Amino acid sequence: MATKDQISVPRDIAQGCSYFMDVMPGLMALVVDFSLQRSVELNKVVNAEDFYIAYYDLSDEIDIQKINDTKMGYHSKLGMVVVDATLKSSYTPSLKMYSFWLLIAKPLLQKYLLGPTDNPKMGHNDTIVFSSHMDSRTRLCILKLRTRNYNDPSFELSLRGTSLQVFAYLVERINESGPVLGKLSELDTAQIISTQAYLMEQLLGAFPGIDFLSTKAGMSISKYKKLFKRIFKESPNSFFIREKLNLAQELLKSGNFNAINEVGKELGYVKPGYFAAIYKNQFGQLPGEVFIKTGHKPKNRLTLPHDSRRI
Amino acid sequence: MKEVIYRFGVETDWVEELAASLEGFIDGNFIIVADDILKGTYYTLQISENITVMLVDVIYHQDVLYKVRNIKNDFAGIYFNLTEGDLVHVMNDISRSVGRWNYNLAITDSQLDIDFVIKSGSKSYGISLFLKKHILREYLSKTGILDEVLNRVFDERQNTLLHYAHMSSNSWHIINEFRKSAPGSISFNLLLSGLAYNLMADCLDNIMKREITISKVLRTDLAMILNSQTNLIKKQEGIFPGITSLAAEANMSATKYKKLYKKITGQTPNAFFLNNKLELARDLLGSGHYTIRELAEKLNFTSTSHLSEQFKSYFGMSPKEYAASL
């Protein structure tokens, strides 16, 4: 039986776990795949206080669905979450489809955060929080793993290889962005992450406003702004605009619009000049350079190298 | 020529010896070698008690003769060599070993003594995995290879484990992706470990598909064939000695000789002889001291057009085009 500070793997965090593995001391990998119904005997119990959880969801992408002839639905999701395992209630992963998990012992991660002078980059109370898009290297790795058959004798080797690769990429990202300084409460973190998720659902409209968001999170405006920035290293507003423009880019390339102005309007930008300017500010090119008009075939999306599909 | 005698193993006690015989020293996972011998990255990492990986990404500034003399025989080596790969077309700085074999993937028993020369100017890129035999055996038995077969293959008294092949294009992609990471960076050891496991997974897949076959070779037979091959290299300017004479030299019947030769080197003696001759022709052509006609004569081709024809089918361009591109 798991107590409050323990997580039992897999029942607790990942019902429907298809594969579990100790990759190396302090690193465990889990695959959750709902295309495979399989009961995993192993029910490992670890002390949550000693671990970070990294969660990768392959359904992370901007999804454009046609609802009817005139209306489109958009769905944009952040597919990568990394938090202290005690903060696991901060997010509710969708246990649909396919996801990949790493459980990382804190001392192990700490080892990879040492600067060249052996000065720990991370203080005792500092933590790691990520809730963002998966980088494409990680995504390709996991996509490749997904094409593998669990019954292949090489599956275990390949899961081990993939886990080490994904962990290495995570280490690189953490070293780029740095830890979140200071202690975080579970409730506050959960609230901040849930407002971030709310923002992701509102990308077609205008920024809901700090007032609204802080009320939603049950905090004062100043606390909300400070905490959001501490965790995500940017303000709620700039996060919102960045994600809005990511969506804009997908819409421009989707081939569902007759004019760039239509995309701007869809996202609530009334002045085409302003839309073009902030778009260029983020991507370094004008919307016109990526725009694909209705009726023209969209360019191929990122696909796996030919070989990796061959299993 | 610089002579380097060294040994490998899963335990990394040999690294210091290798560094010493290269007149270098160890710095963390790196072996630092003086620039006048070679320049680049020499890196070893023990991943677990059963697996060690070595990365060599260097340019040679001297001819180096490597002599592998292993002491331990509890491991096997899996060598990926990207330099000689079909997919890398480096014309002038390809690394050429004595008895240039047509392979870029080798699985060999630690008991095997191997000598090879790497010429000055060669660019060498290789990933070597050293695996405890019992682990290799465990993986192989999962592929459904029968125990009796494995017993025979791993019987140390008679057989030596050996296989040469072309690496799969998947392995090639895996290595190429890995090459983007900087040796010594914070995530490098993780990526190198990941690489080792991914490459092992791919090897296992290919064994499953029977694109790699693990087979047994009697050690005495192997020695004979390697010896025979060395003799062929010595005679490479002359005409092909003929199977009968080669087999007699190796104390075998012609049938057995041909079969074993193919099994070990993947080529017929004749093809090996011709390919080496053509490599030599290319080198001599590159030296600028010979015309094509002189070369045909020196290397005992029946005619200039015969040389041109063979050269073109091997290198994809005629000797004339090659000389012009120098």
Side-chain angles (χ1 to χ4, degrees):
Chain A
M1 227 186 71
T3 68
K4 180 181 169 290
D5 287 338
Q6 290 178 322
I7 22 174
S8 58
V9 182
R11 206 174 289 157
D12 192 22
I13 50 168
Q15 284 176 333
C17 169
S18 311
Y19 216 97
F20 172 87
M21 177 195 269
D22 276 304
V23 178
M24 63 192 261
L27 186 66
M28 287 172 263
L30 272 124
V31 177
V32 178
D33 180 355
F34 274 71
S35 71
L36 180 83
Q37 291 300 324
R38 166 170 147 165
S39 67
V40 174
E41 292 292 315
L42 213 145
N43 197 16
K44 189 164 179 151
V45 177
V46 295
N47 198 339
E49 277 184 351
D50 304 331
F51 285 86
Y52 286 106
I53 291 182
Y55 159 72
Y56 301 87
D57 183 352
L58 279 183
S59 62
D60 158 43
E61 59 187 287
I62 300 171
D63 212 14
I64 303 171
Q65 300 134 347
K66 202 157 190 164
I67 295 172
N68 56 44
D69 280 350
T70 53
K71 208 169 154 36
M72 310 287 292
Y74 314 107
H75 181 73
S76 185
K77 229 179 114 219
L78 301 167
M80 173 183 169
V81 176
V82 183
V83 286
D84 191 306
T86 55
L87 303 181
K88 68 189 160 70
S89 59
S90 310
Y91 65 100
T92 36
S94 71
L95 288 175
K96 277 189 294 182
M97 308 295 290
Y98 190 96
S99 59
F100 180 81
W101 304 64
L102 289 177
L103 273 166
I104 308 156
K106 288 180 182 174
L108 179 72
L109 192 58
Q110 184 76 34
K111 200 177 119 192
Y112 288 100
L113 294 177
L114 289 179
T117 49
D118 280 340
N119 283 329
K121 280 187 188 159
M122 221 172 129
H124 179 67
N125 282 328
D126 300 346
T127 187
I128 307 283
V129 178
F130 267 99
S131 175
S132 68
H133 289 294
M134 220 187 293
D135 48 287
S136 53
R137 293 186 303 176
T138 303
R139 168 176 277 279
L140 280 181
C141 253
I142 298 175
L143 278 171
K144 201 167 164 180
L145 179 72
R146 189 185 184 175
T147 62
R148 296 208 159 243
N149 188 327
Y150 298 97
N151 297 320
D152 277 352
S154 62
F155 183 80
E156 192 195 306
L157 286 168
S158 139
L159 175 57
R160 214 176 276 278
T162 305
S163 306
L164 287 162
Q165 247 178 313
V166 169
F167 181 47
Y169 296 153
L170 177 63
V171 161
E172 287 172 17
R173 271 186 84 164
I174 292 172
N175 278 300
E176 267 165 40
S177 65
V180 175
L181 302 175
K183 208 167 172 60
L184 291 178
S185 89
E186 181 168 356
L187 181 65
D188 286 350
T189 313
Q191 294 295 0
I192 295 288
I193 291 178
S194 91
T195 60
Q196 186 204 32
Y198 176 77
L199 285 175
M200 292 298 288
E201 291 162 12
Q202 306 299 319
L203 294 179
L204 288 185
F207 182 63
I210 293 287
D211 272 5
F212 178 82
L213 291 170
S214 59
T215 312
K216 204 170 175 338
M219 297 173 200
S220 71
I221 292 179
S222 61
K223 181 180 176 185
Y224 178 77
K225 270 162 75 174
K226 233 169 101 184
L227 205 54
F228 193 98
K229 183 142 197 189
R230 220 172 92 205
I231 294 177
F232 298 121
K233 318 279 196 287
E234 63 186 333
S235 72
N237 193 30
S238 66
F239 166 80
F240 184 74
I241 289 170
R242 196 164 47 80
E243 288 303 327
K244 205 175 168 73
L245 291 171
N246 282 339
L247 178 59
Q249 189 179 45
E250 288 304 312
L251 297 184
L252 287 166
K253 290 185 198 161
S254 70
N256 289 325
F257 296 88
N258 282 313
I260 296 172
N261 281 356
E262 290 178 18
V263 178
K265 269 186 203 149
E266 189 77 16
L267 290 160
Y269 291 108
V270 190
K271 292 181 192 160
Y274 177 69
F275 174 54
I278 56 167
Y279 186 90
K280 182 160 187 184
N281 191 32
Q282 177 159 328
F283 296 109
Q285 53 182 174
L286 287 166
E289 295 176 57
V290 294
F291 182 62
I292 292 163
K293 211 176 157 179
T294 315
H296 291 75
K297 217 174 173 233
K299 286 188 186 116
N300 283 335
R301 292 188 57 113
L302 190 62
T303 48
L304 277 174
H306 176 69
D307 253 45
S308 52
R309 294 184 176 178
R310 194 189 64 184
I311 292 299
Chain B
M1 189 183 298
K2 174 96 193 119
E3 195 176 294
V4 179
I5 302 173
Y6 66 116
R7 65 190 175 95
F8 289 133
V10 175
E11 292 80 16
T12 51
D13 48 347
W14 49 270
V15 178
E16 207 159 331
E17 290 169 29
L18 174 59
S21 63
L22 280 164
E23 296 167 46
F25 58 92
I26 296 178
D27 180 14
N29 295 83
F30 290 94
I31 299 178
I32 312 292
V33 183
D35 278 2
D36 61 323
I37 299 177
L38 55 85
K39 198 172 158 54
T41 307
Y42 233 111
Y43 194 93
T44 48
L45 176 70
Q46 180 159 13
I47 294 172
S48 73
E49 54 177 346
N50 297 316
I51 306 161
T52 286
V53 58
M54 178 172 79
L55 161 72
V56 179
D57 180 9
V58 297
I59 298 173
Y60 285 85
H61 291 161
Q62 268 185 42
D63 291 358
V64 176
L65 168 64
Y66 281 106
K67 292 184 165 180
V68 186
R69 299 288 179 268
N70 288 314
I71 298 170
K72 290 185 178 148
N73 59 14
D74 62 343
F75 72 97
I78 305 180
Y79 307 91
F80 296 84
N81 187 345
L82 265 188
T83 324
E84 286 190 339
D86 282 336
L87 293 157
V88 187
H89 293 286
V90 203
M91 286 298 268
N92 283 311
D93 45 8
I94 216 160
S95 70
R96 264 183 66 178
S97 50
V98 168
R100 188 189 138 83
W101 290 357
N102 226 357
Y103 296 115
N104 54 24
L105 169 65
I107 303 175
T108 66
D109 197 293
S110 50
Q111 290 180 43
L112 209 59
D113 288 344
I114 302 167
D115 293 1
F116 56 101
V117 173
I118 299 186
K119 294 267 188 196
S120 176
S122 299
K123 275 188 201 160
S124 181
Y125 189 93
I127 306 282
S128 310
L129 304 177
F130 309 112
L131 259 93
K132 284 275 166 70
K133 278 182 193 167
H134 70 89
I135 280 291
L136 183 61
R137 197 193 158 121
E138 209 174 282
Y139 288 138
L140 290 176
S141 70
K142 282 189 198 163
T143 66
I145 295 177
L146 296 173
D147 262 1
E148 306 120 71
V149 178
L150 287 176
N151 282 340
R152 261 183 289 135
V153 170
F154 282 91
D155 183 348
E156 283 173 17
R157 278 161 307 157
Q158 359 168 357
N159 296 319
T160 207
L161 181 70
L162 182 79
H163 180 75
Y164 292 96
H166 278 284
M167 74 173 82
S168 71
S169 53
N170 192 31
S171 283
W172 190 82
H173 286 304
I174 292 169
I175 294 176
N176 243 21
E177 177 63 30
F178 168 77
R179 286 182 83 163
K180 292 174 190 160
S181 52
S185 67
I186 191 112
S187 56
F188 189 70
N189 284 354
L190 292 171
L191 290 169
L192 188 56
S193 310
L195 171 79
Y197 286 113
N198 286 331
L199 288 176
M200 284 191 278
D202 192 54
C203 271
L204 215 54
D205 285 342
N206 290 316
I207 288 169
M208 285 293 287
K209 283 186 276 180
R210 300 290 183 255
E211 277 165 23
I212 293 176
T213 47
I214 291 293
S215 55
K216 56 161 188 165
V217 176
L218 283 179
R219 224 176 308 151
T220 46
D221 287 348
L222 179 67
M224 283 296 191
I225 293 296
L226 293 180
N227 195 30
S228 174
Q229 192 162 43
T230 312
N231 290 337
L232 268 180
I233 292 164
K234 284 183 194 153
K235 292 174 194 157
Q236 68 184 357
E237 288 192 10
I239 53 164
F240 185 65
I243 296 286
T244 325
S245 128
L246 286 168
E249 218 174 33
N251 286 322
M252 292 177 201
S253 73
T255 332
K256 183 179 176 188
Y257 177 81
K258 276 201 304 202
K259 218 173 128 188
L260 256 180
Y261 196 100
K262 181 90 198 268
K263 184 174 176 181
I264 292 170
T265 73
Q267 286 170 292
T268 64
N270 210 339
F272 172 80
F273 187 76
L274 178 63
N275 292 348
N276 260 278
K277 216 187 238 302
L278 291 167
E279 290 280 345
L280 182 65
R282 189 195 58 177
D283 285 359
L284 293 175
L285 204 57
S287 74
H289 299 309
Y290 300 91
T291 64
I292 297 166
R293 181 200 288 266
E294 282 165 353
L295 266 185
E297 198 169 312
K298 181 175 168 60
L299 298 178
N300 274 293
F301 281 94
T302 49
S303 65
T304 314
S305 63
H306 183 226
L307 167 63
S308 296
E309 212 174 272
Q310 299 289 340
F311 195 101
K312 182 152 191 180
S313 87
Y314 187 67
F315 292 113
M317 56 163 83
S318 69
K320 212 172 173 180
E321 287 169 325
Y322 178 74
S325 74
L326 286 170

